[in-house]
Amino acid sequence: MNLLLGAAVAWLLIALVPLRSDAARRTWSLCVLGISGVFVLVAGLFASQAEVSPGYRGEPPTLLAMLVVAIAVAPAAIVALVRRGRVGQH
């Protein structure tokens, strides 16, 4: 869990990198959003390979893994969306 928290904080700091030009900010925010989506999809791919015991009645592991990763990358994705919106206002 500490590794996931550290990765989420690092990804948030990467999303907060200050850039001078509007084009660079727009490109950076698109990269952060795209890579965040890739992280969620890769988590689902790895979780789909997990074996579940026959008596397991909870949520599918694919959904749980994708949810955890989506929650971890959400702050960076929100920062990217806000920065992208601000670029369009100037």
Side-chain angles (χ1 to χ4, degrees):
M1 194 55 124
N2 289 336
L3 180 65
L4 182 63
L5 182 61
V9 170
W11 191 237
L12 177 61
L13 293 175
I14 288 170
L16 289 171
V17 169
L19 300 167
R20 295 185 188 270
S21 71
D22 286 344
R25 272 187 235 126
R26 188 178 312 114
T27 303
W28 188 252
S29 64
L30 282 176
C31 288
V32 168
L33 286 173
I35 293 171
S36 294
V38 169
F39 283 158
V40 173
L41 291 175
V42 167
L45 178 68
F46 281 120
S48 69
Q49 305 300 320
E51 293 185 21
V52 180
S53 66
Y56 180 72
R57 296 197 183 269
E59 295 293 328
T62 305
L63 178 65
L64 293 175
M66 291 176 77
L67 180 65
V68 168
V69 172
I71 290 170
V73 299
I78 292 169
V79 166
L81 287 170
V82 168
R83 289 179 113 189
R84 184 155 170 77
R86 283 190 181 172
V87 169
Q89 291 178 357
H90 291 246

